[in-house]
Amino acid sequence: MQISNMVVGQFYPGTSILHRVDPRTKIIAACAFVIVLFMVNGFEGLAVMGAGLAAVIALAGIPLSWLWRGLKPVLFLLVITFAFQLFLSGGEELWRLGPVTVYRAGLVQGAFLTARLLLLVLSGSILTFSTPPVLLTDALGRLMEPLAKLKIPAYELALMMTIALRFIPTLVMEVDRIIKAQKARGAVTSGGGLLVRARGIMPVLVPLFVMSFRHADELALAMESRCWRGGRGRTIRRKLAFSNKDAVFATVVLAVLAASLWMGRFR
Amino acid sequence: MSTPIIHLNNVGYRYPHFAESEDLALSGIDLRIEEGEFVGLVGANGSGKSTLARLLNGLLLPTAGEVRVGGLATADTANLDNIRETVGMVFQNPDSQIVATSVEDDIAFGPENLGLPAHEVEARVEEAARRFGIERLRQSEPHWLSGGQKQRTVLAGVVALRPRVLVLDEPTSMLDPRSQRRFRDFIDELWRGGTTIIYITQLMEEIATAPRLVVMAGGSIAFDGVPAEFFPDRDLLDATGMEPPLAARLAAGLAARGCQVRPALTLPELVANVHAGSQT
């Protein structure tokens, strides 16, 4: 693992409108987008949504190579989805290749589901591409604030997300160190069959857990020493404020979603 | 006599999972620390230094006797908010003390907990970052920082609470020599500014110039006085498992070989003594 190149989250720094829109607006927009995505039937609706998404990507100035980086981990899932639909459906035959038959309905269904999944992943990616992780957790905390009335510790949950983000690089570095320490003592941590590799994971996982608990223990002491007494009464330093940009952005998103709903469902 | 900022009266502590018959982590500790003092706290591993440190801001509560901070007993939970604001604490490993994903967010964590107005939090972050030379790193993520920069971030986060007492538990043990020195210089600066310092360390060089030295052994205080009285005392050193700083050993070694060198505790002092000896 190349630790020095590691980036937490996938934030792509920039100053576009999308970067400057309130993160809460972006989170709500992404959620609405996903809901509509699952309501829309037919390619016309998806096409409108895809065009909207493409416009947003262009607006944010996110390069295609960066998009590709975000897509790579789910590529396998996309291919599997497509292949699965392709072979399983019945109806009009398109081609027959030995034992494999491809049906028209399967092809259409596969293409549709794959496109939907692609748009789903992209919409989530654009949110993390254009919003620094700190703002994202801040905004989530603020959006969850009403939940505090239901005795759900919204602020604490947001802090937990922040701490998780904060400790990912630390733990990755520690995994690296543990692997080196185990290798130095002759452990096999890579290569070999599945069984060998599975066995190699345990000597890494156990120390990692022990270290994590130690970190948690010390962090709790440090936080208590720094007057942490739960989320109540804390200062909210970073002011999140809706502006005209948010109104414009929300209107455009609503228009696109309404158009795709009309195209894909109610026409 | 005025109220000492820290007052331990016949304090004992037993960790909860230890049986009655086993040794106490601390016993019979009497300690008065006046506001503005610099106290070096040393002792072998397991001598009870860290346990003592954790009693000072109510992270642990004494199982015998009483700990008072500015006159307030730590045993009364109603006092804890006040006590934690008075006594700041820096631990050994900066990686397990940084809470937030950026330097400035981490410095702001303490003041935010106090519920200070946003502009006041901002002012304190600004001041603390500038004071410890990390103002250019304010937006940095913690994992990009060097060990010294991380520990200075931690220090800034604690100092932003404006504590009157600063307890440091081996804060430099994970830093390289240059960062150690720089960190130690910042502590001296805070002390000169009026902050009471309690400095725990394994490096005798770091407390050789401390006006007051407390040495722990087996859960009790074995020595409380000036370093110049402790380090020449071979019996006391053996009883507490301590070693004098390098300069003291060098001075003693040279004197044993017949050189005209007076005892010294720090390198500059030793250099001056050797120079003075060669002039006569």
Side-chain angles (χ1 to χ4, degrees):
Chain A
M1 211 175 310
Q2 262 302 355
I3 280 124
S4 51
N5 294 337
M6 211 187 64
V7 182
V8 182
Q10 310 232 294
F11 179 56
Y12 184 80
T15 53
S16 75
I17 286 225
L18 193 68
H19 283 86
R20 283 177 292 147
V21 165
D22 190 292
R24 286 172 296 177
T25 313
K26 282 187 270 187
I27 292 176
I28 296 171
C31 288
F33 188 89
V34 170
I35 292 168
V36 171
L37 194 57
F38 281 91
M39 289 169 73
V40 159
N41 296 316
F43 284 99
E44 297 95 332
L46 283 191
V48 174
M49 297 189 86
L53 211 53
V56 168
I57 292 171
L59 199 68
I62 294 165
L64 287 177
S65 59
W66 204 267
L67 274 187
W68 176 239
R69 253 185 56 173
L71 275 182
K72 247 197 296 194
V74 290
L75 210 58
F76 182 69
L77 196 67
L78 290 174
V79 171
I80 288 281
T81 308
F82 185 67
F84 218 64
Q85 297 297 328
L86 203 56
F87 303 129
L88 284 188
S89 318
E92 185 194 334
E93 263 182 44
L94 277 186
W95 315 294
R96 191 188 284 268
L97 248 171
V100 181
T101 318
V102 173
Y103 299 96
R104 184 183 181 80
L107 188 68
V108 171
Q109 183 76 355
F112 179 76
L113 286 181
T114 309
R116 181 187 266 175
L117 201 59
L118 185 71
L119 289 180
L120 177 76
V121 173
L122 278 180
S123 61
S125 303
I126 286 165
L127 181 65
T128 56
F129 288 160
S130 66
T131 322
V134 189
L135 280 185
L136 213 50
T137 50
D138 257 21
L140 274 171
R142 297 291 290 283
L143 283 174
M144 290 191 305
E145 242 166 43
L147 294 179
K149 290 202 177 64
L150 303 171
K151 298 247 188 290
I152 295 170
Y155 186 85
E156 282 79 355
L157 284 172
L159 184 75
M160 275 164 63
M161 286 189 280
T162 309
I163 291 176
L165 274 177
R166 142 81 186 88
F167 272 94
I168 289 169
T170 304
L171 292 180
V172 168
M173 274 181 227
E174 265 157 24
V175 167
D176 192 56
R177 217 165 58 213
I178 294 168
I179 290 176
K180 280 181 187 141
Q182 303 291 29
K183 271 189 185 158
R185 292 188 284 168
V188 183
T189 50
S190 56
L194 202 62
L195 204 66
V196 176
R197 254 192 281 178
R199 221 179 284 148
I201 285 177
M202 283 313 283
V204 176
L205 271 189
V206 173
L208 182 67
F209 265 87
V210 173
M211 274 183 168
S212 307
F213 280 116
R214 194 171 300 156
H215 274 309
D217 224 30
E218 290 176 9
L219 186 68
L221 286 179
M223 281 171 65
E224 258 192 85
S225 298
R226 284 161 76 185
C227 303
W228 166 256
R229 44 190 94 138
R232 215 171 331 141
R234 286 194 92 227
T235 314
I236 294 165
R237 192 168 54 100
R238 230 186 309 269
K239 292 249 173 5
L240 293 176
F242 294 115
S243 65
N244 292 340
K245 286 191 290 289
D246 294 276
V248 172
F249 182 72
T251 314
V252 172
V253 171
L254 272 179
V256 169
L257 292 183
S260 40
L261 263 184
W262 182 72
M263 298 284 281
R265 199 173 175 91
F266 301 116
R267 201 164 51 139
Chain B
M1 215 146 78
S2 67
T3 318
I5 187 82
I6 302 266
H7 193 185
L8 281 74
N9 190 3
N10 198 21
V11 164
Y13 186 78
R14 182 194 304 278
Y15 278 96
H17 49 273
F18 274 53
E20 288 286 324
S21 57
E22 281 176 280
D23 283 348
L24 289 158
L26 291 177
S27 64
I29 304 274
D30 285 309
L31 188 64
R32 275 178 78 100
I33 295 172
E34 304 294 335
E35 182 127 39
E37 274 199 86
F38 190 119
V39 181
L41 183 59
V42 299
N45 284 338
S47 60
K49 317 184 285 292
S50 291
T51 309
L52 180 61
R54 281 157 202 209
L55 285 166
L56 298 181
N57 74 344
L59 287 177
L60 299 177
L61 299 177
T63 48
E66 192 181 46
V67 178
R68 281 181 180 272
V69 175
L72 302 173
T74 57
D76 186 351
T77 45
N79 292 335
L80 278 183
D81 284 354
N82 200 320
I83 286 170
R84 300 228 166 105
E85 229 185 299
T86 309
V87 182
M89 187 100 52
V90 175
F91 299 95
Q92 185 174 20
N93 186 355
D95 267 332
S96 15
Q97 297 175 76
I98 297 178
V99 185
T101 41
S102 77
V103 167
E104 66 170 16
D105 282 352
D106 192 69
I107 301 174
F109 179 76
E112 281 175 346
N113 287 339
L114 297 183
L116 298 172
H119 62 88
E120 169 73 13
V121 174
E122 196 47 46
R124 288 194 182 197
V125 170
E126 171 87 46
E127 185 199 315
R130 190 152 18 88
R131 176 166 208 168
F132 302 111
I134 44 177
E135 68 268 51
R136 298 237 306 271
L137 302 167
R138 282 181 59 159
Q139 307 293 334
S140 304
E141 292 177 23
H143 61 280
W144 296 118
L145 305 180
S146 72
Q149 289 167 339
K150 278 186 206 168
Q151 197 63 303
R152 274 186 277 146
T153 302
V154 170
L155 183 62
V158 174
V159 167
L161 283 159
R162 307 231 170 110
R164 284 156 70 193
V165 182
L166 200 54
V167 180
L168 302 113
D169 190 354
E170 299 190 28
T172 59
S173 60
M174 298 182 91
L175 309 186
D176 59 64
R178 193 166 280 240
S179 307
Q180 278 178 350
R181 222 174 119 163
R182 185 143 188 231
F183 188 88
R184 183 64 183 73
D185 287 345
F186 278 123
I187 301 303
D188 261 343
E189 208 180 291
L190 285 167
W191 177 53
R192 281 195 295 269
T195 310
T196 309
I197 306 286
I198 298 166
Y199 198 96
I200 301 176
T201 183
Q202 300 281 13
L203 297 168
M204 298 306 129
E205 277 71 21
E206 287 192 316
I207 44 79
T209 55
R212 181 176 174 191
L213 181 68
V214 171
V215 186
M216 305 274 301
S220 304
I221 292 177
F223 175 87
D224 186 349
V226 290
E229 277 171 23
F230 175 73
F231 288 117
D233 191 331
R234 197 67 245 180
D235 293 339
L236 208 49
L237 286 170
D238 288 342
T240 54
M242 292 286 99
E243 283 286 324
L246 178 66
R249 280 181 278 154
L250 253 173
L254 287 170
R257 291 288 181 94
C259 295
Q260 292 284 328
V261 179
R262 286 187 294 116
L265 286 178
T266 63
L267 279 176
E269 205 185 340
L270 176 66
V271 169
N273 288 357
V274 169
H275 185 71
S278 67
Q279 298 291 338
T280 52

